[in-house]
Amino acid sequence: MSHPTVRVGAVGVGLMGTDHAERLATRVAGASLVAVSDPDTARAGALADRLGVRAVDDPLELVASPDVDAVVIASPGFVHEEQVLACLAAGTPVLCEKPLTMDDASSLRLVEAEAALGRRLVTVGFMRRFDPEYAQARAALAGGAHGRLLVLHNVHRNRSVPNADFRSEMIVRDSLVHEVDSSRFLFDDEVVEVTVLAPAPTSHAAEGVLDPQVALFRMAGGGLVTSEVFVNSQVGYEVRFEAVAERGTLTAGLHTTGLLTTGVGSDAGRWGGPVPDDYRVRFARAYDAEVQAWVDGIRSGTGAVGASAWDGYAATAVSTAGMASLASGTPVAVDLADRPPLYAATADPVAGP
Ligand code: ISE
């Protein structure tokens, strides 16, 4: 590329988009933030003033701006398809937050559009791939010292969700989708069947919302995954896994050993140390590493790193089936389209800093 510094525009500056905009403006080497866009123009304007960049009302105008070399999308999932397509049409690298889109059909359209271009421009923001513990676990499992991975247990809890619009389906599409990607990443395999069940909900969930939920994934190679997702736990951000292999287990997200209790009141937010408030705290290093690797890939011309559009599609396909399973209470098969040759090579795990 002609510009030594990657000039980035950020589309969507809610919690996650603001976090990315600040990261790009202050601590990503080789990048500068040049513009932000958000339907809440006052929010975009205030952030733009604070970071010394310009605010653009129309996100597609931002994408087409001559001084924007690359785009970070952190808008709601229902506008991702149009915005990612605009990036593809402009030949602009894009880091799109998860979920890639709202359902498997729309995600597949993005895969097909990128495959038709013949080069990878899309990275999906599955940041856990850049978390040191997840990256190390994948490398260890791929190395084979522990034998084959048999069962993966995931726990994913949020203290609360920002609004009552966070319905049962969003728990699958926005939260469980991380467990889909982590499972695909750790097993290096596809999910072929998903079941999502829910116990009697917590009294802290909004009326009619099924929270928590428990999902079971069957992997193509025979592995099994359990995932508990609980977005109103009252405690804090708890994300951990135990990967059970033939000769040992790998555990991530524990900060101590022994009997541990988390709770509210006098125990508030303790887990052998503080429980992080939210994902921006728990995965701060992963987000930094992810965005840095994305910028480095653009500058060096080595291409996209991290989760591809295919990974985003595969995850969305499992979520789509998961929402159907939650509604029916029965297992639902996941039938993926043929994988285009563009996505044939499995990227090496990228270790965090
Ligand atoms: C949010 O969108 C995220 O991506 C977080 O990582 C996840 O923990 C949360 O449940 C989602 O709402």
Side-chain angles (χ1 to χ4, degrees), residues 9-103:
V11 172
V13 288
L15 276 187
M16 198 62 241
T18 296
D19 201 51
H20 279 320
E22 286 168 349
R23 170 174 294 111
L24 284 157
T26 62
R27 56 183 189 276
V28 176
S32 65
L33 183 75
V34 292
V36 298
S37 179
D38 196 278
D40 182 340
T41 53
R43 175 162 78 179
L47 182 68
D49 287 349
R50 182 157 68 79
L51 299 178
V53 302
R54 73 178 193 282
V56 180
D57 288 352
D58 179 355
L60 301 186
E61 187 189 320
L62 179 149
V63 170
S65 299
D67 67 341
V68 169
D69 302 317
V71 172
V72 168
I73 295 178
S75 51
F78 59 85
V79 288
H80 285 181
E81 183 181 6
E82 180 188 36
Q83 294 173 351
V84 172
L85 281 175
C87 292
L88 290 175
T92 300
V94 53
L95 172 58
C96 179
E97 268 306 327
K98 43 56 58 180
L100 178 57
T101 64
M102 301 298 271
D103 62 17

Side-chain angles (χ1 to χ4, degrees), residues 98 127 156 158 161 166 174-175 178 231 237 239 279 287:
K98 43 56 58 180
M127 75 297 186
H156 180 163
N158 300 121
V161 279
F166 212 92
D174 279 62
S175 304
H178 279 295
V231 304
Y237 196 67
V239 168
Y279 45 93
Y287 285 120

Side-chain angles (χ1 to χ4, degrees), residues 6 8 16-17 19-21 23-24 27-29 31 70-74 93-100 120-132 134-135 178 181-182 185 279-280 283-299 302-308 311-312 349-353:
V6 181
V8 183
M16 198 62 241
D19 201 51
H20 279 320
R23 170 174 294 111
L24 284 157
R27 56 183 189 276
V28 176
V71 172
V72 168
I73 295 178
V94 53
L95 172 58
C96 179
E97 268 306 327
K98 43 56 58 180
L100 178 57
R120 279 190 52 191
L121 290 174
V122 179
T123 299
V124 182
F126 284 121
M127 75 297 186
R128 291 184 186 177
R129 293 175 177 234
F130 294 87
D131 175 76
Y134 281 80
H178 279 295
D181 188 64
S182 298
F185 182 63
Y279 45 93
R280 292 167 301 170
F283 287 113
R285 289 174 67 187
Y287 285 120
D288 281 351
E290 172 191 63
V291 177
Q292 188 65 64
W294 176 65
V295 165
D296 291 348
I298 296 168
R299 293 182 81 204
T302 53
V305 295
S308 66
D311 296 313
V350 182

Side-chain angles (χ1 to χ4, degrees), residues 192-197 216 218 321-322 324-326 328-334:
V192 291
E193 185 191 272
V194 55
T195 310
V196 184
L197 302 172
L216 184 68
R218 285 190 187 281
S325 173
L326 184 67
S328 68
T330 57
V332 175
V334 180

